[in-house]
Amino acid sequence: MARLARTAGLTDVQQEILATVHDFVEKEVIPHAQALEKADAYPTDIVEGMKEMGLFGLTIDEEYGGLGESLLTYALVVEEIARGWMSVSGVINTHFITAYMIGRHGTDEQKAHFLPRMATGELRGAFSMSEPDLGSDVAAIKTRAKRDGDDYVVDGQKMWLTNGGTANLVALLVRTDEGAEKAHENLTTFLVEKPVGYGEVAPGLIVPGKIEKMGYKGVDTTELVLDGYRIGADAVLGGVPGRGFRHMMDGVEVGRVNVAARACGIAIRAFELAVAYAQQRRTFGKAIAEHQAVAFKLAEMATKVEAAHLMMVNAARLKDSGQRNDVEAGMAKLLASEYCAEVTQDAFRIHGGYGYSKEYEIERLMREAPFLLIGEGTSEIQKMIISRGLLREYRQRG
Ligand SMILES: Cc1cc2nc3c(=O)[nH]c(=O)nc-3n(C[C@H](O)[C@H](O)[C@H](O)COP(=O)(O)OP(=O)(O)OC[C@H]3O[C@@H](n4cnc5c(N)ncnc54)[C@H](O)[C@@H]3O)c2cc1C
């Protein structure tokens, strides 16, 4: 973008990657997004293009065939992609989180087994915590895996798997019986390799069809039913049961930076559309941008875009430096997603009646922005994380 959302201090490699992705989004994503979204069609050609650019392996270590790039590079790539179409960023997000969890917490065998194929995009990841009865309250998970010889037998139902049908690897969080007092210490992540597709894709593993959504079309979101599904104990992430909650929360922390980046991308696009429209549309003898009420709206929108971008970059850099970023990632996610909803709403208003027409891109952005208020933890959950972290930090003694 010409003036907004610039990032200081990027390396030549980062700049090169971002320029390539920006070009790809301009040529291959933006011109097709409206039609694909209208048809709720999977963006197969775009995904192939992302594979060729190596984006599925962007953050995977070089020793496993990836590019070994940082969370910041990834987040800035996501911002660019979401500016074109949020659904495309949805295709790589769950993959990125799953690869991150395996890279950080997997055994050497698991890393060698999964990561090289994930880096090429041959193996694509989804992650599954939510269930029909719970999303925010992860520790209440009911889906249960019971040990049976060298295997576990899993029964239950999961909900809201982004890429549930198109992914062939699912990081699945379920309850195991570790005898721990605290509920979250009885949760275990399994790495479930499965065929792509819908229906009973493996004995006892059922992917019902796509869930119909308000926006975020094209990318599939599904349920997952486990009915006596048998999986080997070697599929436990990290090899030790009972650590799944920690694994997932670590994954979600980087996921929150990614959601903030998506919100930035959508807000940037909404601003671009609004600032262009405001200079073309004329009322009362002048461009609407010359009415102070509209100009001030543009000023506020741009300020929100800039603030969200800076917080997102800060949270990514903190994680890249090896520090805990739960508070900063929560703040970035909270602010960026709330601002994104406000900026798209303002861009919609600037478009007048045309904003309500499906011919205009802003109509799509209006339906996409609300998901960011929910995914990777709602705004209320972010406030819980932020306030807990701050109270820990600023604890009064004595
Ligand atoms: C399109 C889409 C894709 C998704 N993809 C995935 C995915 O890939 N993997 C996955 O595991 N999940 C996924 N999710 C699920 C998502 O993470 C959850 O929807 C989200 O965490 C909220 O959970 P919930 O819907 O159960 O809402 P609930 O937890 O039932 O919350 C309902 C409301 O109550 C509020 N609330 C809850 N608890 C508190 C509290 N303690 N204090 C104050 N307010 C509270 C919430 O903020 C919210 O407003 C997806 C969801 C959607 C819509």
Side-chain angles (χ1 to χ4, degrees):
M1 163 166 270
R3 172 88 187 228
L4 295 179
R6 288 180 181 170
T7 313
L10 295 181
T11 64
D12 290 348
V13 173
Q14 286 175 314
Q15 288 181 30
E16 199 180 310
I17 292 172
L18 290 171
T20 306
V21 174
H22 184 83
D23 198 44
F24 177 78
V25 168
E26 287 290 320
K27 291 186 183 139
E28 309 295 339
V29 180
I30 291 178
H32 305 291
Q34 289 293 92
L36 287 167
E37 126 93 16
K38 205 166 183 179
D40 197 3
Y42 191 75
T44 308
D45 292 345
I46 294 173
V47 170
E48 286 306 311
M50 294 199 300
K51 268 190 204 170
E52 278 168 30
M53 284 191 288
L55 293 189
F56 287 95
L58 187 62
T59 55
I60 293 175
D61 276 355
E62 283 168 302
E63 69 171 299
Y64 298 111
L67 298 175
E69 273 296 326
S70 61
L71 175 59
L72 177 64
T73 312
Y74 177 77
L76 295 175
V77 163
V78 165
E79 184 182 56
E80 289 285 352
I81 291 174
R83 177 182 157 265
W85 186 20
M86 184 179 88
S87 295
V88 177
S89 64
V91 172
I92 51 170
N93 174 42
T94 62
H95 176 85
F96 155 74
I97 293 179
T98 307
Y100 171 83
M101 290 197 300
I102 296 172
R104 285 266 300 198
H105 305 290
T107 62
D108 288 345
E109 292 74 28
Q110 287 168 341
K111 289 180 199 173
H113 183 66
F114 293 114
L115 292 180
R117 287 181 295 148
M118 293 188 86
T120 60
E122 178 196 337
L123 206 57
R124 299 239 301 275
F127 78 93
S128 174
M129 295 192 292
S130 304
E131 296 187 355
D133 291 342
L134 62 100
S136 309
D137 189 6
V138 176
I141 276 176
K142 291 179 186 159
T143 299
R144 187 172 282 274
K146 279 205 172 131
R147 186 81 195 225
D148 182 23
D150 288 340
D151 292 343
Y152 282 87
V153 178
V154 194
D155 287 287
Q157 189 174 350
K158 306 300 279 187
M159 184 77 190
W160 297 119
L161 281 82
T162 301
N163 300 305
T166 45
N168 37 12
L169 175 65
V170 180
L172 178 76
L173 188 65
V174 301
R175 180 163 301 287
T176 49
D177 296 312
E178 308 310 323
E181 220 171 272
K182 293 182 178 156
H184 70 274
E185 288 171 2
N186 291 307
L187 297 181
T188 299
T189 304
F190 284 86
L191 299 170
V192 179
E193 223 175 321
K194 70 168 185 64
V196 167
Y198 301 93
E200 186 158 1
V201 292
L205 191 69
I206 300 130
V207 184
K210 284 165 68 167
I211 299 169
E212 291 277 327
K213 295 168 294 191
M214 173 202 273
Y216 202 24
K217 307 253 184 191
V219 62
D220 49 298
T221 308
T222 73
E223 296 170 48
L224 182 70
V225 178
L226 301 116
D227 183 11
Y229 175 67
R230 195 166 267 279
I231 187 162
D234 57 353
V236 169
L237 177 62
V240 181
R243 297 185 179 167
F245 186 81
R246 236 189 307 150
H247 296 155
M248 284 284 178
M249 290 306 119
D250 190 25
V252 164
E253 215 164 279
V254 291
R256 284 185 183 134
V257 175
N258 157 80
V259 172
R262 282 202 231 183
C264 291
I266 293 183
I268 289 168
R269 186 67 184 158
F271 174 79
E272 287 172 353
L273 296 173
V275 78
Y277 187 83
Q279 292 170 80
Q280 287 154 17
R281 182 72 174 176
R282 298 178 69 79
T283 66
F284 302 94
K286 53 185 174 185
I288 59 171
E290 290 174 37
H291 298 301
Q292 197 181 53
V294 174
F296 277 16
K297 243 188 194 75
L298 291 171
E300 286 169 10
M301 290 160 74
T303 306
K304 288 174 182 172
V305 164
E306 197 64 1
H309 176 82
L310 291 171
M311 285 195 73
M312 178 272 286
V313 166
N314 178 52
R317 284 196 159 133
L318 206 61
K319 188 80 176 176
D320 284 334
S321 71
Q323 294 179 66
R324 190 168 181 190
N325 79 338
D326 55 341
V327 169
E328 290 74 12
M331 285 176 170
K333 198 268 171 185
L334 172 66
L335 186 106
S337 61
E338 293 287 348
Y339 276 1
C340 174
E342 291 170 18
V343 170
T344 47
Q345 170 81 237
D346 279 344
F348 163 77
R349 287 171 192 246
I350 286 173
H351 279 75
Y354 289 107
Y356 211 66
S357 160
K358 281 200 173 281
E359 270 187 43
Y360 282 72
E361 215 177 313
I362 189 62
E363 184 271 345
R364 169 169 64 78
L365 303 188
M366 278 285 286
R367 287 182 289 103
E368 288 172 347
F371 169 59
L372 302 171
L373 300 167
I374 307 289
E376 313 288 3
T378 63
S379 291
E380 289 72 30
I381 297 304
Q382 305 312 316
K383 287 178 196 173
M384 280 168 58
I385 294 165
I386 296 164
S387 56
R388 269 187 206 150
L390 292 175
L391 288 168
R392 203 170 49 228
E393 191 81 20
Y394 287 82
R395 181 166 294 144
Q396 296 288 311
R397 309 204 186 276

mmCIF file with all atom_site columns, all heavy atoms in Angstrom, residues 363-381:
data_model
loop_
_atom_site.group_PDB
_atom_site.id
_atom_site.type_symbol
_atom_site.label_atom_id
_atom_site.label_alt_id
_atom_site.label_comp_id
_atom_site.label_asym_id
_atom_site.label_entity_id
_atom_site.label_seq_id
_atom_site.pdbx_PDB_ins_code
_atom_site.Cartn_x
_atom_site.Cartn_y
_atom_site.Cartn_z
_atom_site.occupancy
_atom_site.B_iso_or_equiv
_atom_site.pdbx_formal_charge
_atom_site.auth_seq_id
_atom_site.auth_comp_id
_atom_site.auth_asym_id
_atom_site.auth_atom_id
_atom_site.pdbx_PDB_model_num
ATOM 1   N N   . GLU A 1 363 ? -19.457 -5.238  -0.137 1.00 0.00 ? 363 GLU A N   1
ATOM 2   C CA  . GLU A 1 363 ? -20.532 -6.110  0.370  1.00 0.00 ? 363 GLU A CA  1
ATOM 3   C C   . GLU A 1 363 ? -19.939 -7.415  0.899  1.00 0.00 ? 363 GLU A C   1
ATOM 4   O O   . GLU A 1 363 ? -20.341 -7.935  1.946  1.00 0.00 ? 363 GLU A O   1
ATOM 5   C CB  . GLU A 1 363 ? -21.543 -6.379  -0.755 1.00 0.00 ? 363 GLU A CB  1
ATOM 6   C CG  . GLU A 1 363 ? -22.756 -7.180  -0.337 1.00 0.00 ? 363 GLU A CG  1
ATOM 7   C CD  . GLU A 1 363 ? -22.600 -8.691  -0.466 1.00 0.00 ? 363 GLU A CD  1
ATOM 8   O OE1 . GLU A 1 363 ? -21.665 -9.174  -1.138 1.00 0.00 ? 363 GLU A OE1 1
ATOM 9   O OE2 . GLU A 1 363 ? -23.406 -9.418  0.119  1.00 0.00 ? 363 GLU A OE2 1
ATOM 10  N N   . ARG A 1 364 ? -18.942 -7.954  0.177  1.00 0.00 ? 364 ARG A N   1
ATOM 11  C CA  . ARG A 1 364 ? -18.284 -9.195  0.612  1.00 0.00 ? 364 ARG A CA  1
ATOM 12  C C   . ARG A 1 364 ? -17.476 -8.950  1.895  1.00 0.00 ? 364 ARG A C   1
ATOM 13  O O   . ARG A 1 364 ? -17.538 -9.742  2.840  1.00 0.00 ? 364 ARG A O   1
ATOM 14  C CB  . ARG A 1 364 ? -17.372 -9.726  -0.508 1.00 0.00 ? 364 ARG A CB  1
ATOM 15  C CG  . ARG A 1 364 ? -16.461 -10.851 -0.072 1.00 0.00 ? 364 ARG A CG  1
ATOM 16  C CD  . ARG A 1 364 ? -15.775 -11.535 -1.238 1.00 0.00 ? 364 ARG A CD  1
ATOM 17  N NE  . ARG A 1 364 ? -14.873 -10.701 -1.995 1.00 0.00 ? 364 ARG A NE  1
ATOM 18  C CZ  . ARG A 1 364 ? -13.636 -10.372 -1.621 1.00 0.00 ? 364 ARG A CZ  1
ATOM 19  N NH1 . ARG A 1 364 ? -13.176 -10.791 -0.458 1.00 0.00 ? 364 ARG A NH1 1
ATOM 20  N NH2 . ARG A 1 364 ? -12.879 -9.614  -2.366 1.00 0.00 ? 364 ARG A NH2 1
ATOM 21  N N   . LEU A 1 365 ? -16.732 -7.850  1.918  1.00 0.00 ? 365 LEU A N   1
ATOM 22  C CA  . LEU A 1 365 ? -15.903 -7.571  3.104  1.00 0.00 ? 365 LEU A CA  1
ATOM 23  C C   . LEU A 1 365 ? -16.770 -7.423  4.358  1.00 0.00 ? 365 LEU A C   1
ATOM 24  O O   . LEU A 1 365 ? -16.380 -7.847  5.447  1.00 0.00 ? 365 LEU A O   1
ATOM 25  C CB  . LEU A 1 365 ? -15.074 -6.299  2.894  1.00 0.00 ? 365 LEU A CB  1
ATOM 26  C CG  . LEU A 1 365 ? -14.139 -6.252  1.679  1.00 0.00 ? 365 LEU A CG  1
ATOM 27  C CD1 . LEU A 1 365 ? -13.249 -5.018  1.735  1.00 0.00 ? 365 LEU A CD1 1
ATOM 28  C CD2 . LEU A 1 365 ? -13.278 -7.490  1.574  1.00 0.00 ? 365 LEU A CD2 1
ATOM 29  N N   . MET A 1 366 ? -17.954 -6.839  4.178  1.00 0.00 ? 366 MET A N   1
ATOM 30  C CA  . MET A 1 366 ? -18.882 -6.680  5.315  1.00 0.00 ? 366 MET A CA  1
ATOM 31  C C   . MET A 1 366 ? -19.296 -8.026  5.904  1.00 0.00 ? 366 MET A C   1
ATOM 32  O O   . MET A 1 366 ? -19.583 -8.134  7.086  1.00 0.00 ? 366 MET A O   1
ATOM 33  C CB  . MET A 1 366 ? -20.159 -5.953  4.844  1.00 0.00 ? 366 MET A CB  1
ATOM 34  C CG  . MET A 1 366 ? -20.036 -4.461  4.774  1.00 0.00 ? 366 MET A CG  1
ATOM 35  S SD  . MET A 1 366 ? -20.059 -3.714  6.394  1.00 0.00 ? 366 MET A SD  1
ATOM 36  C CE  . MET A 1 366 ? -21.784 -3.881  6.811  1.00 0.00 ? 366 MET A CE  1
ATOM 37  N N   . ARG A 1 367 ? -19.354 -9.061  5.046  1.00 0.00 ? 367 ARG A N   1
ATOM 38  C CA  . ARG A 1 367 ? -19.742 -10.387 5.537  1.00 0.00 ? 367 ARG A CA  1
ATOM 39  C C   . ARG A 1 367 ? -18.541 -11.171 6.059  1.00 0.00 ? 367 ARG A C   1
ATOM 40  O O   . ARG A 1 367 ? -18.707 -12.146 6.779  1.00 0.00 ? 367 ARG A O   1
ATOM 41  C CB  . ARG A 1 367 ? -20.460 -11.179 4.426  1.00 0.00 ? 367 ARG A CB  1
ATOM 42  C CG  . ARG A 1 367 ? -21.862 -10.669 4.142  1.00 0.00 ? 367 ARG A CG  1
ATOM 43  C CD  . ARG A 1 367 ? -22.587 -11.481 3.088  1.00 0.00 ? 367 ARG A CD  1
ATOM 44  N NE  . ARG A 1 367 ? -22.045 -11.278 1.751  1.00 0.00 ? 367 ARG A NE  1
ATOM 45  C CZ  . ARG A 1 367 ? -21.253 -12.133 1.102  1.00 0.00 ? 367 ARG A CZ  1
ATOM 46  N NH1 . ARG A 1 367 ? -20.916 -13.277 1.654  1.00 0.00 ? 367 ARG A NH1 1
ATOM 47  N NH2 . ARG A 1 367 ? -20.805 -11.862 -0.106 1.00 0.00 ? 367 ARG A NH2 1
ATOM 48  N N   . GLU A 1 368 ? -17.346 -10.754 5.659  1.00 0.00 ? 368 GLU A N   1
ATOM 49  C CA  . GLU A 1 368 ? -16.155 -11.480 6.111  1.00 0.00 ? 368 GLU A CA  1
ATOM 50  C C   . GLU A 1 368 ? -15.657 -10.969 7.468  1.00 0.00 ? 368 GLU A C   1
ATOM 51  O O   . GLU A 1 368 ? -15.215 -11.752 8.313  1.00 0.00 ? 368 GLU A O   1
ATOM 52  C CB  . GLU A 1 368 ? -15.039 -11.364 5.056  1.00 0.00 ? 368 GLU A CB  1
ATOM 53  C CG  . GLU A 1 368 ? -15.357 -12.194 3.819  1.00 0.00 ? 368 GLU A CG  1
ATOM 54  C CD  . GLU A 1 368 ? -14.389 -11.983 2.666  1.00 0.00 ? 368 GLU A CD  1
ATOM 55  O OE1 . GLU A 1 368 ? -13.603 -11.026 2.708  1.00 0.00 ? 368 GLU A OE1 1
ATOM 56  O OE2 . GLU A 1 368 ? -14.422 -12.794 1.731  1.00 0.00 ? 368 GLU A OE2 1
ATOM 57  N N   . ALA A 1 369 ? -15.742 -9.654  7.655  1.00 0.00 ? 369 ALA A N   1
ATOM 58  C CA  . ALA A 1 369 ? -15.167 -9.048  8.866  1.00 0.00 ? 369 ALA A CA  1
ATOM 59  C C   . ALA A 1 369 ? -15.703 -9.658  10.178 1.00 0.00 ? 369 ALA A C   1
ATOM 60  O O   . ALA A 1 369 ? -14.910 -9.866  11.115 1.00 0.00 ? 369 ALA A O   1
ATOM 61  C CB  . ALA A 1 369 ? -15.381 -7.537  8.835  1.00 0.00 ? 369 ALA A CB  1
ATOM 62  N N   . PRO A 1 370 ? -17.001 -9.971  10.294 1.00 0.00 ? 370 PRO A N   1
ATOM 63  C CA  . PRO A 1 370 ? -17.475 -10.469 11.603 1.00 0.00 ? 370 PRO A CA  1
ATOM 64  C C   . PRO A 1 370 ? -16.807 -11.757 12.070 1.00 0.00 ? 370 PRO A C   1
ATOM 65  O O   . PRO A 1 370 ? -16.678 -11.989 13.270 1.00 0.00 ? 370 PRO A O   1
ATOM 66  C CB  . PRO A 1 370 ? -18.978 -10.702 11.371 1.00 0.00 ? 370 PRO A CB  1
ATOM 67  C CG  . PRO A 1 370 ? -19.335 -9.837  10.222 1.00 0.00 ? 370 PRO A CG  1
ATOM 68  C CD  . PRO A 1 370 ? -18.120 -9.788  9.348  1.00 0.00 ? 370 PRO A CD  1
ATOM 69  N N   . PHE A 1 371 ? -16.370 -12.595 11.119 1.00 0.00 ? 371 PHE A N   1
ATOM 70  C CA  . PHE A 1 371 ? -15.730 -13.847 11.553 1.00 0.00 ? 371 PHE A CA  1
ATOM 71  C C   . PHE A 1 371 ? -14.485 -13.577 12.401 1.00 0.00 ? 371 PHE A C   1
ATOM 72  O O   . PHE A 1 371 ? -14.167 -14.317 13.333 1.00 0.00 ? 371 PHE A O   1
ATOM 73  C CB  . PHE A 1 371 ? -15.363 -14.719 10.334 1.00 0.00 ? 371 PHE A CB  1
ATOM 74  C CG  . PHE A 1 371 ? -14.471 -15.872 10.703 1.00 0.00 ? 371 PHE A CG  1
ATOM 75  C CD1 . PHE A 1 371 ? -14.895 -16.814 11.634 1.00 0.00 ? 371 PHE A CD1 1
ATOM 76  C CD2 . PHE A 1 371 ? -13.198 -15.995 10.170 1.00 0.00 ? 371 PHE A CD2 1
ATOM 77  C CE1 . PHE A 1 371 ? -14.065 -17.863 12.011 1.00 0.00 ? 371 PHE A CE1 1
ATOM 78  C CE2 . PHE A 1 371 ? -12.367 -17.037 10.546 1.00 0.00 ? 371 PHE A CE2 1
ATOM 79  C CZ  . PHE A 1 371 ? -12.792 -17.972 11.471 1.00 0.00 ? 371 PHE A CZ  1
ATOM 80  N N   . LEU A 1 372 ? -13.809 -12.476 12.080 1.00 0.00 ? 372 LEU A N   1
ATOM 81  C CA  . LEU A 1 372 ? -12.561 -12.184 12.796 1.00 0.00 ? 372 LEU A CA  1
ATOM 82  C C   . LEU A 1 372 ? -12.820 -11.809 14.253 1.00 0.00 ? 372 LEU A C   1
ATOM 83  O O   . LEU A 1 372 ? -11.920 -11.885 15.091 1.00 0.00 ? 372 LEU A O   1
ATOM 84  C CB  . LEU A 1 372 ? -11.783 -11.093 12.059 1.00 0.00 ? 372 LEU A CB  1
ATOM 85  C CG  . LEU A 1 372 ? -11.465 -11.497 10.612 1.00 0.00 ? 372 LEU A CG  1
ATOM 86  C CD1 . LEU A 1 372 ? -10.895 -10.344 9.832  1.00 0.00 ? 372 LEU A CD1 1
ATOM 87  C CD2 . LEU A 1 372 ? -10.515 -12.688 10.585 1.00 0.00 ? 372 LEU A CD2 1
ATOM 88  N N   . LEU A 1 373 ? -14.063 -11.414 14.556 1.00 0.00 ? 373 LEU A N   1
ATOM 89  C CA  . LEU A 1 373 ? -14.414 -11.118 15.951 1.00 0.00 ? 373 LEU A CA  1
ATOM 90  C C   . LEU A 1 373 ? -14.572 -12.405 16.766 1.00 0.00 ? 373 LEU A C   1
ATOM 91  O O   . LEU A 1 373 ? -14.606 -12.379 17.988 1.00 0.00 ? 373 LEU A O   1
ATOM 92  C CB  . LEU A 1 373 ? -15.739 -10.334 16.007 1.00 0.00 ? 373 LEU A CB  1
ATOM 93  C CG  . LEU A 1 373 ? -15.756 -8.986  15.276 1.00 0.00 ? 373 LEU A CG  1
ATOM 94  C CD1 . LEU A 1 373 ? -17.189 -8.484  15.140 1.00 0.00 ? 373 LEU A CD1 1
ATOM 95  C CD2 . LEU A 1 373 ? -14.904 -7.961  16.030 1.00 0.00 ? 373 LEU A CD2 1
ATOM 96  N N   . ILE A 1 374 ? -14.671 -13.554 16.059 1.00 0.00 ? 374 ILE A N   1
ATOM 97  C CA  . ILE A 1 374 ? -14.976 -14.842 16.696 1.00 0.00 ? 374 ILE A CA  1
ATOM 98  C C   . ILE A 1 374 ? -13.774 -15.803 16.672 1.00 0.00 ? 374 ILE A C   1
ATOM 99  O O   . ILE A 1 374 ? -13.439 -16.415 17.686 1.00 0.00 ? 374 ILE A O   1
ATOM 100 C CB  . ILE A 1 374 ? -16.155 -15.530 15.935 1.00 0.00 ? 374 ILE A CB  1
ATOM 101 C CG1 . ILE A 1 374 ? -17.374 -14.595 15.802 1.00 0.00 ? 374 ILE A CG1 1
ATOM 102 C CG2 . ILE A 1 374 ? -16.524 -16.872 16.570 1.00 0.00 ? 374 ILE A CG2 1
ATOM 103 C CD1 . ILE A 1 374 ? -18.123 -14.334 17.052 1.00 0.00 ? 374 ILE A CD1 1
ATOM 104 N N   . GLY A 1 375 ? -13.167 -15.952 15.482 1.00 0.00 ? 375 GLY A N   1
ATOM 105 C CA  . GLY A 1 375 ? -12.127 -16.970 15.276 1.00 0.00 ? 375 GLY A CA  1
ATOM 106 C C   . GLY A 1 375 ? -10.908 -16.765 16.178 1.00 0.00 ? 375 GLY A C   1
ATOM 107 O O   . GLY A 1 375 ? -10.544 -15.626 16.479 1.00 0.00 ? 375 GLY A O   1
ATOM 108 N N   . GLU A 1 376 ? -10.293 -17.843 16.618 1.00 0.00 ? 376 GLU A N   1
ATOM 109 C CA  . GLU A 1 376 ? -9.137  -17.845 17.538 1.00 0.00 ? 376 GLU A CA  1
ATOM 110 C C   . GLU A 1 376 ? -9.474  -17.130 18.848 1.00 0.00 ? 376 GLU A C   1
ATOM 111 O O   . GLU A 1 376 ? -8.608  -16.521 19.471 1.00 0.00 ? 376 GLU A O   1
ATOM 112 C CB  . GLU A 1 376 ? -7.889  -17.189 16.916 1.00 0.00 ? 376 GLU A CB  1
ATOM 113 C CG  . GLU A 1 376 ? -7.545  -17.610 15.516 1.00 0.00 ? 376 GLU A CG  1
ATOM 114 C CD  . GLU A 1 376 ? -6.998  -19.018 15.399 1.00 0.00 ? 376 GLU A CD  1
ATOM 115 O OE1 . GLU A 1 376 ? -6.943  -19.706 16.426 1.00 0.00 ? 376 GLU A OE1 1
ATOM 116 O OE2 . GLU A 1 376 ? -6.667  -19.411 14.273 1.00 0.00 ? 376 GLU A OE2 1
ATOM 117 N N   . GLY A 1 377 ? -10.730 -17.216 19.260 1.00 0.00 ? 377 GLY A N   1
ATOM 118 C CA  . GLY A 1 377 ? -11.146 -16.598 20.528 1.00 0.00 ? 377 GLY A CA  1
ATOM 119 C C   . GLY A 1 377 ? -11.852 -15.280 20.293 1.00 0.00 ? 377 GLY A C   1
ATOM 120 O O   . GLY A 1 377 ? -11.346 -14.414 19.581 1.00 0.00 ? 377 GLY A O   1
ATOM 121 N N   . THR A 1 378 ? -13.045 -15.140 20.893 1.00 0.00 ? 378 THR A N   1
ATOM 122 C CA  . THR A 1 378 ? -13.850 -13.921 20.714 1.00 0.00 ? 378 THR A CA  1
ATOM 123 C C   . THR A 1 378 ? -13.166 -12.732 21.414 1.00 0.00 ? 378 THR A C   1
ATOM 124 O O   . THR A 1 378 ? -12.207 -12.904 22.181 1.00 0.00 ? 378 THR A O   1
ATOM 125 C CB  . THR A 1 378 ? -15.246 -14.117 21.341 1.00 0.00 ? 378 THR A CB  1
ATOM 126 O OG1 . THR A 1 378 ? -15.073 -14.322 22.754 1.00 0.00 ? 378 THR A OG1 1
ATOM 127 C CG2 . THR A 1 378 ? -15.969 -15.306 20.733 1.00 0.00 ? 378 THR A CG2 1
ATOM 128 N N   . SER A 1 379 ? -13.727 -11.548 21.189 1.00 0.00 ? 379 SER A N   1
ATOM 129 C CA  . SER A 1 379 ? -13.164 -10.348 21.830 1.00 0.00 ? 379 SER A CA  1
ATOM 130 C C   . SER A 1 379 ? -13.219 -10.468 23.350 1.00 0.00 ? 379 SER A C   1
ATOM 131 O O   . SER A 1 379 ? -12.301 -10.025 24.057 1.00 0.00 ? 379 SER A O   1
ATOM 132 C CB  . SER A 1 379 ? -13.924 -9.098  21.372 1.00 0.00 ? 379 SER A CB  1
ATOM 133 O OG  . SER A 1 379 ? -13.657 -8.856  20.018 1.00 0.00 ? 379 SER A OG  1
ATOM 134 N N   . GLU A 1 380 ? -14.283 -11.088 23.858 1.00 0.00 ? 380 GLU A N   1
ATOM 135 C CA  . GLU A 1 380 ? -14.390 -11.245 25.320 1.00 0.00 ? 380 GLU A CA  1
ATOM 136 C C   . GLU A 1 380 ? -13.260 -12.141 25.833 1.00 0.00 ? 380 GLU A C   1
ATOM 137 O O   . GLU A 1 380 ? -12.656 -11.869 26.885 1.00 0.00 ? 380 GLU A O   1
ATOM 138 C CB  . GLU A 1 380 ? -15.752 -11.857 25.702 1.00 0.00 ? 380 GLU A CB  1
ATOM 139 C CG  . GLU A 1 380 ? -16.943 -10.933 25.518 1.00 0.00 ? 380 GLU A CG  1
ATOM 140 C CD  . GLU A 1 380 ? -17.300 -10.690 24.056 1.00 0.00 ? 380 GLU A CD  1
ATOM 141 O OE1 . GLU A 1 380 ? -17.073 -11.586 23.209 1.00 0.00 ? 380 GLU A OE1 1
ATOM 142 O OE2 . GLU A 1 380 ? -17.788 -9.590  23.749 1.00 0.00 ? 380 GLU A OE2 1
ATOM 143 N N   . ILE A 1 381 ? -12.958 -13.190 25.090 1.00 0.00 ? 381 ILE A N   1
ATOM 144 C CA  . ILE A 1 381 ? -11.881 -14.104 25.508 1.00 0.00 ? 381 ILE A CA  1
ATOM 145 C C   . ILE A 1 381 ? -10.527 -13.373 25.441 1.00 0.00 ? 381 ILE A C   1
ATOM 146 O O   . ILE A 1 381 ? -9.674  -13.537 26.319 1.00 0.00 ? 381 ILE A O   1
ATOM 147 C CB  . ILE A 1 381 ? -11.885 -15.386 24.643 1.00 0.00 ? 381 ILE A CB  1
ATOM 148 C CG1 . ILE A 1 381 ? -13.201 -16.163 24.846 1.00 0.00 ? 381 ILE A CG1 1
ATOM 149 C CG2 . ILE A 1 381 ? -10.673 -16.269 24.930 1.00 0.00 ? 381 ILE A CG2 1
ATOM 150 C CD1 . ILE A 1 381 ? -13.542 -16.536 26.282 1.00 0.00 ? 381 ILE A CD1 1
#
